[in-house]
Amino acid sequence: GTAYGWYANMTDTVALAVGDTFKVPTTGPNTYYVEYQNNADSLLTTFAAGNGQSGNMFDIVVKNGISLTGLSVNPQGSGSQTFEVYHRTGSFSGFENSSAGWTLIETHVGTAVTSGKYYFPLTTPLTLAPGTHALYVTATTGSVSYTNGSNPGGVYASNNDIDFLEGIGKSYPFGSTFNPRIWNGILHYGSVGCSNIRVPVTFEIDSAIVVASGTATSTGTGSLTANFDASATTGGDVFTWKFGDGNTGTGMTTSHTYGQGGDYTVWLIATDTTCGTVDSVQIALNGLNVNETLLDRSLSIFPNPTQGIFNVSFDIEGVQTVQVRLINLIGQEIAKFHYGHVSGTFKQSYDLSGQADGVYLIEIRSDQGITTRRINLHR
């Protein structure tokens, strides 16, 4: 029976929202205040349903003075509904068909999520002295569920503070009468239940931006395995590695074994899942499995930097199949050349004039492995 009210300030009298949770914009205040919207004392009638109309009139006998702080009702269906709550001192008998003798104490507009219990607070709690009081709780549009009675005016539910009596069903506002009917709901009132201390709730916005930083290191001469370390990254908690050979890995630290030696361009992508920021950095892994062949030792690329056209020459041991690829730094293949069987000295010119200025890779594949070099295109 306890609900929570959320307030903008410590001294506000009207709650911004009522419920267990409260969603707020991050652009607004970062402190709100929560308190029990009503104390823990309550009297439940029933939520058995079985019938329904706009609302119910019923009497309660207050044994000890109470302060009615809210009601839970049983709407039929979900969506926006408006409820009215009327009160009169004494019984409703003889006042069923007119607003005369009644005081409208609350008009509440709310959204019922599903059929069943829907709580709303009274903006101003209703003080009820010992004795008989009548309440009329009705929906202005739509309807509520109630239950057929069997003992008109008889006590249906009771506790130490209140006797609830079987009443009648009504069409809105003071229309047809259906008798006897049992209001489905809970009367919430304050007594010695939970405290009304208002507590501040403060949140912080984490504005940190992830900055990726990492290293790629060969495990030694002749090895095709490299170690990768992203521990220098700030703000990240998820790490993805692209090893430059089509394979990927994860983790702040990881290792990878390549199929062939050479130079590789590695990408580290760091993500901060809390704030949703992402950063990436490119890392060069050069000279993996350095066992120089005649091709490695003799390879010449000139001019480098180039304005477009550059020359490549190298020597081959014996007869080998040669393939040359031009690649950009994100791994896209620009051109590919197959030269079949090559022996002796290889010489060839290539043209990057149609590409944007930047760094490119030339990858030379022979029967002895892969050799990669960088070419700077600058005009």
Side-chain angles (χ1 to χ4, degrees), residues 11-243:
T11 57
D12 284 358
T13 58
V14 178
L16 297 172
V18 174
D20 292 342
T21 60
F22 179 37
K23 183 181 289 186
V24 300
T26 58
T27 54
N30 68 339
T31 298
Y32 294 84
Y33 300 86
V34 63
E35 72 175 14
Y36 290 112
Q37 191 66 13
N38 56 277
N39 291 332
D41 295 320
S42 63
L43 176 63
L44 166 67
T45 62
T46 182
F47 279 85
N51 207 335
Q53 244 296 337
S54 299
N56 294 89
M57 286 182 187
F58 53 89
D59 291 340
I60 60 173
V61 178
V62 177
K63 305 171 188 178
N64 302 299
I66 66 169
S67 179
L68 191 66
T69 58
L71 300 102
S72 293
V73 295
N74 191 3
Q76 291 186 333
S78 60
S80 178
Q81 280 189 274
T82 301
F83 296 94
E84 293 178 349
V85 181
Y86 295 82
H87 166 258
R88 72 176 311 275
T89 301
S91 175
F92 69 80
S93 180
F95 297 87
E96 298 95 329
N97 301 317
S98 171
S99 61
W102 292 91
T103 300
L104 176 63
I105 63 169
E106 181 82 15
T107 299
H108 172 83
V109 179
T111 301
V113 178
T114 58
S115 298
K117 297 182 180 69
Y118 173 70
Y119 168 81
F120 62 88
L122 297 181
T123 303
T124 302
L126 177 63
T127 300
L128 299 176
T132 300
H133 296 266
L135 293 173
Y136 176 30
V137 183
T138 182
T140 63
T141 58
S143 58
V144 297
S145 292
Y146 52 60
T147 305
N148 291 346
S150 59
N151 182 24
V155 176
Y156 182 83
S158 180
N159 64 14
N160 291 332
D161 300 309
I162 305 172
D163 288 337
F164 169 83
L165 311 183
E166 291 190 20
I168 59 176
K170 295 293 292 182
S171 61
Y172 182 81
F174 289 86
S176 301
T177 297
F178 308 91
N179 185 36
R181 299 292 185 265
I182 301 168
W183 176 66
N184 280 197
I186 302 173
L187 299 170
H188 301 277
Y189 61 96
S191 181
V192 291
C194 303
S195 72
N196 61 352
I197 296 173
R198 193 171 292 185
V199 177
V201 178
T202 301
F203 63 88
E204 294 183 2
I205 302 299
D206 184 354
S207 59
I209 298 175
V210 63
V211 179
S213 179
T215 60
T217 308
S218 171
T219 57
T221 301
S223 172
L224 290 173
T225 299
N227 294 327
F228 304 89
D229 187 346
S231 59
T233 297
T234 58
D237 56 356
V238 174
F239 306 92
T240 302
W241 298 88
K242 294 184 178 181
F243 298 123

Side-chain angles (χ1 to χ4, degrees), residues 293-300 312-318 320 322 342-347 366 368:
T293 64
L294 176 60
L295 188 156
D296 294 317
R297 294 192 300 271
S298 63
L299 177 60
S300 175
V312 176
S313 69
F314 53 83
D315 296 328
I316 290 289
E317 293 177 302
Q320 299 184 41
V322 172
V342 175
S343 63
T345 300
F346 175 93
K347 293 182 178 181
S366 69
Q368 290 183 315

